[in-house]
Amino acid sequence: MRPARGPQDDPAGDVVRWAAFSCLLVPVVLVVYGTSFGGAAVATLGLFAVTAACRILLRHSERTERAASLVRVQDGQPSAPRGRHSRGGAAPQRGCPGGTVEYAPPQD
């Protein structure tokens, strides 16, 4: 049974809400600082297009991750996904000989 998700558990939704707020705030600031209404309108349309594209990509990524975790659970693999920067094993296995980086001063 999955726990109920509240609005605070939706980081992608938070990003989209802040982006929508920015889409409304930026044109106001542009007009206040002397940009024409046409220029502010073009900036607003551009921001809305980028925000919409980002929202689509975020939702797609969430659906893909959810589907992948379901497949892992059905296959008996651990359901915790590894992060982008998680370590992939011991240092020699990642290509670092001996696990240390040696400093060699520049030759004159």
Side-chain angles (χ1 to χ4, degrees):
M1 181 172 188
R2 289 183 7 188
R5 292 180 56 163
Q8 67 274 12
D9 295 336
D10 186 17
D14 292 341
V15 170
V16 171
R17 278 189 289 280
W18 277 107
F21 173 72
S22 298
C23 287
L24 298 175
L25 182 65
V26 167
V28 172
V29 171
L30 288 174
V31 169
V32 167
Y33 281 96
T35 304
S36 67
F37 286 107
V42 169
T44 302
L45 291 175
L47 287 172
F48 273 121
V50 169
T51 301
C54 289
R55 181 181 184 278
I56 290 168
L57 291 172
L58 281 167
R59 296 300 180 199
H60 178 14
S61 175
E62 287 177 340
R63 281 193 304 269
T64 303
E65 180 58 33
R66 236 186 335 260
S69 67
L70 287 174
V71 169
R72 282 192 300 266
V73 168
Q74 290 173 352
D75 290 343
Q77 297 174 359
S79 63
R82 293 175 64 150
R84 178 178 177 193
H85 297 289
S86 65
R87 295 188 175 245
Q93 294 171 345
R94 290 193 318 260
C96 299
T100 60
V101 177
E102 297 180 18
Y103 173 74
Q107 301 286 327
D108 287 348

